[in-house]
Amino acid sequence: MQFVFFTDIPLNVRFGNFIYARLPAALGALGHNVKILVAHQNFEALPFAQLPSNVEVYDVTTVDENSPHIEGDFLCLFTSPYFVHYPMVAERVVGLLQNDAFRKRFKKIVYWSADYWPDWIYNPQFVEVEGFLLSISHIRLANSPQNCVRLQKAYSVDVVGWLPNAACQEWLVSGAWQEGVEMQDLLSYLNRYNVLIVTSYHHREDAAKVFTLATKFKNLNFILVGKSAHLDCHCPPSGAAGSNVLCVGAQPNHVVKVLLQSALFCVVPSRRSWFAYYSDPTKWYLYHAGGVPILSMNVPHHKNYPQFYPYTLVAFDLEEGILQMLNALESAKLPLRYTPSSVHDFIHRAQVFIDILHGDIGYGYAGKEGFVYGKYEAV
Protein backbone atom coordinates (compact mmCIF):
# COMPACT_ATOMS: atom_id res chain seq x y z
CA MET A 1 0.00 0.00 0.00
CA GLN A 2 0.95 3.63 -0.45
CA PHE A 3 1.02 5.88 2.64
CA VAL A 4 1.61 9.63 2.83
CA PHE A 5 2.16 11.03 6.35
CA PHE A 6 2.01 14.69 7.29
CA THR A 7 3.36 15.89 10.63
CA ASP A 8 4.32 19.24 12.08
CA ILE A 9 6.47 17.42 14.66
CA PRO A 10 10.15 17.27 13.61
CA LEU A 11 11.19 13.65 13.21
CA ASN A 12 14.25 14.11 15.42
CA VAL A 13 12.15 15.32 18.37
CA ARG A 14 11.38 12.75 21.07
CA PHE A 15 7.59 13.33 21.12
CA GLY A 16 5.80 9.98 21.17
CA ASN A 17 9.20 8.31 21.52
CA PHE A 18 9.78 9.28 17.88
CA ILE A 19 6.47 7.74 16.77
CA TYR A 20 6.33 10.23 13.88
CA ALA A 21 9.34 8.49 12.32
CA ARG A 22 9.11 5.00 13.81
CA LEU A 23 5.56 4.15 12.82
CA PRO A 24 6.17 5.06 9.15
CA ALA A 25 9.49 3.19 9.36
CA ALA A 26 7.68 0.11 10.70
CA LEU A 27 5.18 0.31 7.83
CA GLY A 28 8.14 0.45 5.47
CA ALA A 29 9.68 -2.58 7.17
CA LEU A 30 6.41 -4.42 6.49
CA GLY A 31 6.83 -3.70 2.77
CA HIS A 32 4.62 -0.63 2.28
CA ASN A 33 5.71 2.49 0.43
CA VAL A 34 5.71 5.57 2.66
CA LYS A 35 6.28 9.28 2.13
CA ILE A 36 6.60 11.63 5.13
CA LEU A 37 5.86 15.33 4.64
CA VAL A 38 7.67 17.15 7.42
CA ALA A 39 7.20 20.73 8.58
CA HIS A 40 10.82 20.93 9.62
CA GLN A 41 13.48 23.13 8.04
CA ASN A 42 16.39 20.78 8.75
CA PHE A 43 14.67 17.53 7.87
CA GLU A 44 17.78 16.29 6.05
CA ALA A 45 19.70 16.05 9.35
CA LEU A 46 17.59 13.27 10.83
CA PRO A 47 19.10 10.73 13.24
CA PHE A 48 17.24 7.92 11.46
CA ALA A 49 19.74 6.66 8.91
CA GLN A 50 18.05 3.27 9.33
CA LEU A 51 14.84 4.39 7.58
CA PRO A 52 13.99 1.74 4.96
CA SER A 53 14.58 2.74 1.35
CA ASN A 54 10.83 2.67 0.72
CA VAL A 55 10.31 5.45 3.30
CA GLU A 56 11.02 8.88 1.81
CA VAL A 57 11.05 12.25 3.60
CA TYR A 58 9.98 15.53 1.96
CA ASP A 59 9.86 19.15 3.08
CA VAL A 60 6.14 19.97 3.17
CA THR A 61 6.81 23.57 2.13
CA THR A 62 7.86 22.28 -1.32
CA VAL A 63 4.57 20.41 -1.82
CA ASP A 64 1.50 21.87 -3.54
CA GLU A 65 -1.65 20.60 -5.26
CA ASN A 66 0.36 20.00 -8.43
CA SER A 67 3.00 17.72 -6.87
CA PRO A 68 2.45 14.51 -8.86
CA HIS A 69 4.34 12.21 -6.45
CA ILE A 70 2.11 13.01 -3.45
CA GLU A 71 -0.71 10.50 -3.72
CA GLY A 72 -1.58 7.08 -2.35
CA ASP A 73 -4.02 4.84 -0.53
CA PHE A 74 -3.93 6.69 2.78
CA LEU A 75 -3.13 10.29 3.73
CA CYS A 76 -2.23 10.14 7.43
CA LEU A 77 -2.51 13.42 9.34
CA PHE A 78 -0.34 12.90 12.43
CA THR A 79 -0.34 16.52 13.43
CA SER A 80 -1.37 18.96 16.14
CA PRO A 81 -4.38 21.22 15.46
CA TYR A 82 -3.26 24.38 13.73
CA PHE A 83 0.26 22.96 13.67
CA VAL A 84 1.45 24.63 16.87
CA HIS A 85 5.10 23.68 16.38
CA TYR A 86 5.38 25.20 12.89
CA PRO A 87 2.42 27.58 12.49
CA MET A 88 4.03 29.21 9.46
CA VAL A 89 3.06 26.20 7.36
CA ALA A 90 -0.50 25.99 8.73
CA GLU A 91 -2.02 28.12 5.99
CA ARG A 92 -0.30 26.11 3.25
CA VAL A 93 -1.31 22.73 4.67
CA VAL A 94 -4.88 23.71 5.53
CA GLY A 95 -5.16 25.11 2.01
CA LEU A 96 -4.02 21.80 0.55
CA LEU A 97 -6.49 19.86 2.68
CA GLN A 98 -9.33 22.18 1.68
CA ASN A 99 -8.60 21.40 -1.96
CA ASP A 100 -11.03 18.68 -3.13
CA ALA A 101 -8.76 17.66 -6.00
CA PHE A 102 -5.82 17.15 -3.64
CA ARG A 103 -7.86 15.07 -1.17
CA LYS A 104 -9.16 12.90 -4.02
CA ARG A 105 -5.60 11.74 -4.65
CA PHE A 106 -6.06 9.45 -1.64
CA LYS A 107 -8.56 6.66 -1.09
CA LYS A 108 -8.90 7.54 2.60
CA ILE A 109 -7.70 10.22 5.02
CA VAL A 110 -6.63 9.31 8.58
CA TYR A 111 -6.33 11.71 11.52
CA TRP A 112 -4.44 10.80 14.71
CA SER A 113 -4.59 12.98 17.81
CA ALA A 114 -1.45 12.58 19.94
CA ASP A 115 -2.54 14.72 22.91
CA TYR A 116 -4.97 17.24 24.33
CA TRP A 117 -3.30 20.10 22.51
CA PRO A 118 -5.10 23.11 24.08
CA ASP A 119 -3.22 22.40 27.31
CA TRP A 120 0.05 23.02 25.46
CA ILE A 121 -0.52 26.37 23.78
CA TYR A 122 -4.14 27.43 23.59
CA ASN A 123 -5.27 28.98 20.35
CA PRO A 124 -8.94 29.73 19.66
CA GLN A 125 -8.52 28.23 16.20
CA PHE A 126 -7.59 24.82 17.68
CA VAL A 127 -11.18 23.65 18.00
CA GLU A 128 -12.09 24.90 14.52
CA VAL A 129 -9.09 23.28 12.83
CA GLU A 130 -9.33 20.05 14.83
CA GLY A 131 -12.98 19.82 13.84
CA PHE A 132 -12.00 20.38 10.20
CA LEU A 133 -9.33 17.66 10.34
CA LEU A 134 -11.85 15.20 11.77
CA SER A 135 -14.52 16.21 9.24
CA ILE A 136 -12.34 15.44 6.21
CA SER A 137 -11.01 12.19 7.72
CA HIS A 138 -12.53 8.79 7.04
CA ILE A 139 -10.69 7.20 9.99
CA ARG A 140 -10.12 9.00 13.31
CA LEU A 141 -7.62 7.81 15.90
CA ALA A 142 -6.23 9.02 19.23
CA ASN A 143 -3.40 8.16 21.62
CA SER A 144 -5.43 7.22 24.74
CA PRO A 145 -8.92 5.93 25.57
CA GLN A 146 -9.66 9.25 27.26
CA ASN A 147 -8.68 11.21 24.16
CA CYS A 148 -10.76 8.87 21.97
CA VAL A 149 -13.82 9.63 24.10
CA ARG A 150 -13.06 13.38 24.05
CA LEU A 151 -12.88 13.55 20.26
CA GLN A 152 -15.96 11.38 19.76
CA LYS A 153 -18.08 13.51 22.09
CA ALA A 154 -16.67 16.92 21.17
CA TYR A 155 -17.14 16.50 17.42
CA SER A 156 -20.03 13.99 17.36
CA VAL A 157 -18.22 11.51 15.12
CA ASP A 158 -19.22 7.86 15.03
CA VAL A 159 -15.98 6.16 16.08
CA VAL A 160 -12.50 7.17 17.24
CA GLY A 161 -10.01 4.29 17.36
CA TRP A 162 -7.24 3.87 19.92
CA LEU A 163 -3.67 3.91 18.56
CA PRO A 164 -1.24 4.06 21.53
CA ASN A 165 2.40 5.05 21.53
CA ALA A 166 5.06 2.31 21.48
CA ALA A 167 8.76 1.53 21.87
CA CYS A 168 11.26 -0.69 20.13
CA GLN A 169 14.16 -2.89 21.13
CA GLU A 170 16.52 -1.44 18.53
CA TRP A 171 17.03 1.87 20.38
CA LEU A 172 17.46 3.77 17.13
CA VAL A 173 18.79 7.01 18.61
CA SER A 174 22.55 7.06 18.97
CA GLY A 175 25.01 9.58 20.37
CA ALA A 176 27.53 10.18 23.12
CA TRP A 177 26.94 10.77 26.81
CA GLN A 178 25.79 14.38 27.17
CA GLU A 179 27.57 16.67 29.60
CA GLY A 180 26.01 17.63 32.90
CA VAL A 181 27.33 15.21 35.52
CA GLU A 182 30.63 13.47 35.97
CA MET A 183 30.61 9.87 34.73
CA GLN A 184 32.07 8.65 38.04
CA ASP A 185 29.10 10.22 39.83
CA LEU A 186 26.74 8.19 37.70
CA LEU A 187 28.74 4.98 38.08
CA SER A 188 28.62 5.32 41.85
CA TYR A 189 24.85 5.03 41.61
CA LEU A 190 24.61 1.99 39.35
CA ASN A 191 24.13 -1.54 40.68
CA ARG A 192 22.46 -0.18 43.81
CA TYR A 193 18.78 0.36 44.64
CA ASN A 194 18.09 2.87 41.89
CA VAL A 195 14.75 4.43 40.96
CA LEU A 196 14.69 5.81 37.42
CA ILE A 197 12.42 8.73 36.56
CA VAL A 198 12.36 10.02 32.98
CA THR A 199 10.81 13.44 33.32
CA SER A 200 10.32 16.61 31.28
CA TYR A 201 9.50 20.25 31.69
CA HIS A 202 5.83 19.29 32.00
CA HIS A 203 6.54 17.53 35.28
CA ARG A 204 8.50 20.05 37.33
CA GLU A 205 6.14 19.52 40.25
CA ASP A 206 7.01 15.81 40.28
CA ALA A 207 10.72 16.57 40.24
CA ALA A 208 10.26 18.84 43.25
CA LYS A 209 8.44 16.04 45.08
CA VAL A 210 11.38 13.71 44.48
CA PHE A 211 13.81 16.13 46.15
CA THR A 212 11.55 16.14 49.21
CA LEU A 213 10.79 12.41 49.28
CA ALA A 214 14.41 11.35 48.81
CA THR A 215 15.15 12.18 52.43
CA LYS A 216 12.53 9.61 53.52
CA PHE A 217 13.97 6.79 51.39
CA LYS A 218 17.68 6.73 52.17
CA ASN A 219 17.92 3.16 50.85
CA LEU A 220 16.99 4.35 47.36
CA ASN A 221 18.87 6.41 44.79
CA PHE A 222 16.68 8.60 42.57
CA ILE A 223 18.05 9.18 39.06
CA LEU A 224 16.18 11.86 37.11
CA VAL A 225 16.61 12.00 33.34
CA GLY A 226 15.24 14.81 31.19
CA LYS A 227 15.23 18.51 30.57
CA SER A 228 13.44 20.46 33.26
CA ALA A 229 13.89 23.61 35.30
CA HIS A 230 14.53 21.39 38.30
CA LEU A 231 17.03 19.25 36.41
CA ASP A 232 19.20 21.95 34.87
CA CYS A 233 21.27 22.15 38.07
CA HIS A 234 22.87 18.74 37.31
CA CYS A 235 23.45 18.03 40.99
CA PRO A 236 26.21 15.50 41.72
CA PRO A 237 25.76 13.03 44.61
CA SER A 238 27.48 15.43 46.99
CA GLY A 239 25.38 18.40 45.86
CA ALA A 240 22.50 20.25 47.48
CA ALA A 241 19.93 17.86 46.04
CA GLY A 242 20.94 15.27 48.61
CA SER A 243 23.19 12.27 48.59
CA ASN A 244 20.58 10.00 46.96
CA VAL A 245 19.33 12.24 44.11
CA LEU A 246 21.15 12.53 40.78
CA CYS A 247 19.99 14.70 37.87
CA VAL A 248 21.61 13.72 34.57
CA GLY A 249 19.71 16.01 32.20
CA ALA A 250 18.49 14.98 28.75
CA GLN A 251 20.10 11.79 27.46
CA PRO A 252 19.70 9.66 24.31
CA ASN A 253 17.93 6.32 24.47
CA HIS A 254 21.07 4.19 24.63
CA VAL A 255 22.05 5.96 27.87
CA VAL A 256 18.54 5.48 29.23
CA LYS A 257 18.91 1.80 28.39
CA VAL A 258 21.99 1.56 30.64
CA LEU A 259 20.12 3.32 33.43
CA LEU A 260 17.17 0.94 32.99
CA GLN A 261 19.45 -2.03 33.51
CA SER A 262 20.39 -0.71 36.94
CA ALA A 263 16.89 0.31 38.08
CA LEU A 264 14.92 -1.43 40.81
CA PHE A 265 11.80 0.18 39.37
CA CYS A 266 10.83 3.18 37.24
CA VAL A 267 8.31 5.97 37.73
CA VAL A 268 5.90 7.49 35.21
CA PRO A 269 5.45 10.98 36.70
CA SER A 270 2.19 12.73 35.93
CA ARG A 271 0.78 15.82 37.54
CA ARG A 272 -3.00 16.27 37.65
CA SER A 273 -3.84 18.29 34.54
CA TRP A 274 -5.94 17.99 31.41
CA PHE A 275 -2.83 17.24 29.40
CA ALA A 276 -1.80 14.43 31.74
CA TYR A 277 -5.33 13.01 31.77
CA TYR A 278 -5.52 12.69 27.99
CA SER A 279 -1.88 11.81 27.35
CA ASP A 280 -0.26 8.43 26.75
CA PRO A 281 3.16 8.72 28.45
CA THR A 282 5.94 7.38 26.26
CA LYS A 283 7.98 6.74 29.40
CA TRP A 284 5.86 3.69 30.15
CA TYR A 285 6.82 2.10 26.81
CA LEU A 286 10.51 2.82 27.33
CA TYR A 287 10.40 1.25 30.80
CA HIS A 288 8.44 -1.74 29.56
CA ALA A 289 10.93 -2.29 26.72
CA GLY A 290 13.60 -2.51 29.42
CA GLY A 291 11.62 -5.13 31.36
CA VAL A 292 11.56 -3.04 34.55
CA PRO A 293 8.62 -2.81 37.06
CA ILE A 294 6.71 0.44 36.67
CA LEU A 295 5.08 2.83 39.15
CA SER A 296 2.56 4.97 37.27
CA MET A 297 1.10 8.17 38.68
CA ASN A 298 -2.38 9.42 37.74
CA VAL A 299 -2.66 7.70 34.31
CA PRO A 300 -6.24 6.37 33.95
CA HIS A 301 -5.71 3.73 31.27
CA HIS A 302 -2.77 2.18 33.13
CA LYS A 303 -5.25 1.44 35.92
CA ASN A 304 -8.27 0.58 33.77
CA TYR A 305 -6.54 -1.87 31.41
CA PRO A 306 -3.94 -3.80 33.43
CA GLN A 307 -4.02 -6.61 30.86
CA PHE A 308 -2.64 -4.14 28.32
CA TYR A 309 -0.22 -2.48 30.78
CA PRO A 310 1.26 -5.33 32.83
CA TYR A 311 3.92 -5.21 35.57
CA THR A 312 2.57 -1.78 36.53
CA LEU A 313 1.44 -0.44 39.88
CA VAL A 314 -0.82 2.63 39.71
CA ALA A 315 -0.92 5.18 42.54
CA PHE A 316 -2.10 8.73 43.08
CA ASP A 317 0.42 9.74 45.74
CA LEU A 318 4.13 9.34 45.02
CA GLU A 319 5.22 8.46 48.57
CA GLU A 320 2.40 5.93 48.96
CA GLY A 321 3.19 4.51 45.53
CA ILE A 322 6.87 3.99 46.39
CA LEU A 323 5.89 2.12 49.56
CA GLN A 324 3.43 -0.05 47.62
CA MET A 325 6.06 -0.80 44.97
CA LEU A 326 8.67 -1.81 47.56
CA ASN A 327 6.13 -4.13 49.22
CA ALA A 328 5.10 -5.61 45.85
CA LEU A 329 8.72 -6.34 44.92
CA GLU A 330 9.59 -7.76 48.35
CA SER A 331 6.56 -10.07 48.31
CA ALA A 332 7.21 -11.05 44.66
CA LYS A 333 3.80 -9.73 43.55
CA LEU A 334 5.81 -7.98 40.85
CA PRO A 335 8.91 -9.56 39.26
CA LEU A 336 12.24 -7.78 39.35
CA ARG A 337 12.54 -8.33 35.59
CA TYR A 338 10.31 -9.64 32.79
CA THR A 339 10.28 -10.11 29.03
CA PRO A 340 8.68 -7.13 27.24
CA SER A 341 5.53 -7.82 25.25
CA SER A 342 5.64 -7.57 21.47
CA VAL A 343 2.22 -5.89 21.70
CA HIS A 344 4.04 -2.67 22.57
CA ASP A 345 6.59 -2.81 19.76
CA PHE A 346 6.34 -0.46 16.77
CA ILE A 347 6.01 -3.37 14.35
CA HIS A 348 2.90 -4.52 16.23
CA ARG A 349 1.55 -0.95 16.16
CA ALA A 350 2.05 -0.81 12.40
CA GLN A 351 0.37 -4.19 11.87
CA VAL A 352 -2.65 -3.26 13.97
CA PHE A 353 -2.74 0.20 12.38
CA ILE A 354 -3.24 -1.52 9.03
CA ASP A 355 -5.93 -3.76 10.54
CA ILE A 356 -7.74 -0.68 11.89
CA LEU A 357 -7.61 0.94 8.45
CA HIS A 358 -9.45 -2.12 7.12
CA GLY A 359 -12.17 -1.96 9.77
CA ASP A 360 -10.76 -4.09 12.61
CA ILE A 361 -11.56 -3.15 16.23
CA GLY A 362 -7.85 -2.87 16.94
CA TYR A 363 -6.86 -1.95 20.50
CA GLY A 364 -10.25 -0.39 21.20
CA TYR A 365 -12.44 2.53 20.18
CA ALA A 366 -14.78 5.20 21.49
CA GLY A 367 -18.32 5.20 20.12
CA LYS A 368 -21.65 6.59 21.23
CA GLU A 369 -21.79 3.87 23.89
CA GLY A 370 -18.47 4.96 25.39
CA PHE A 371 -15.07 3.28 25.17
CA VAL A 372 -14.91 -0.36 24.06
CA TYR A 373 -11.70 -2.24 24.84
CA GLY A 374 -10.14 -4.30 22.04
CA LYS A 375 -8.83 -7.83 21.90
CA TYR A 376 -5.12 -7.38 22.64
CA GLU A 377 -3.37 -8.29 25.86
CA ALA A 378 0.31 -7.88 26.59
CA VAL A 379 1.72 -11.43 26.67
Side-chain angles (χ1 to χ4, degrees), residues 48-63:
F48 293 95
Q50 302 91 331
L51 282 176
S53 59
N54 54 346
V55 178
E56 302 174 276
V57 182
Y58 294 88
D59 185 341
V60 71
T61 62
T62 66
V63 174

Side-chain angles (χ1 to χ4, degrees), residues 322-376:
I322 292 173
L323 291 171
Q324 291 178 5
M325 175 61 77
L326 294 175
N327 289 333
L329 294 174
E330 185 176 2
S331 63
K333 291 181 180 179
L334 284 178
L336 293 174
R337 288 293 183 271
Y338 54 84
T339 301
S341 170
S342 62
V343 166
H344 294 301
D345 185 85
F346 272 106
I347 290 294
H348 196 276
R349 286 291 179 275
Q351 291 169 332
V352 176
F353 177 59
I354 293 170
D355 293 340
I356 293 171
L357 299 183
H358 289 96
D360 190 89
I361 187 175
Y363 301 109
Y365 66 92
K368 295 179 181 179
E369 69 278 26
F371 187 79
V372 177
Y373 180 70
K375 61 187 177 182
Y376 291 101

Side-chain angles (χ1 to χ4, degrees), residues 222-293:
F222 295 88
I223 302 177
L224 280 69
V225 182
K227 185 177 181 180
S228 167
H230 284 277
L231 305 184
D232 289 341
C233 58
H234 301 302
C235 297
S238 59
S243 59
N244 61 335
V245 177
L246 180 65
C247 304
V248 300
Q251 296 296 335
N253 275 4
H254 78 281
V255 173
V256 177
K257 184 176 181 181
V258 173
L259 298 175
L260 277 170
Q261 292 171 345
S262 76
L264 182 63
F265 63 92
C266 300
V267 179
V268 177
S270 181
R271 58 190 172 93
R272 294 185 179 228
S273 67
W274 285 117
F275 172 79
Y277 179 79
Y278 290 112
S279 69
D280 183 34
T282 59
K283 303 162 186 65
W284 187 94
Y285 300 97
L286 274 176
Y287 299 159
H288 181 74
V292 183

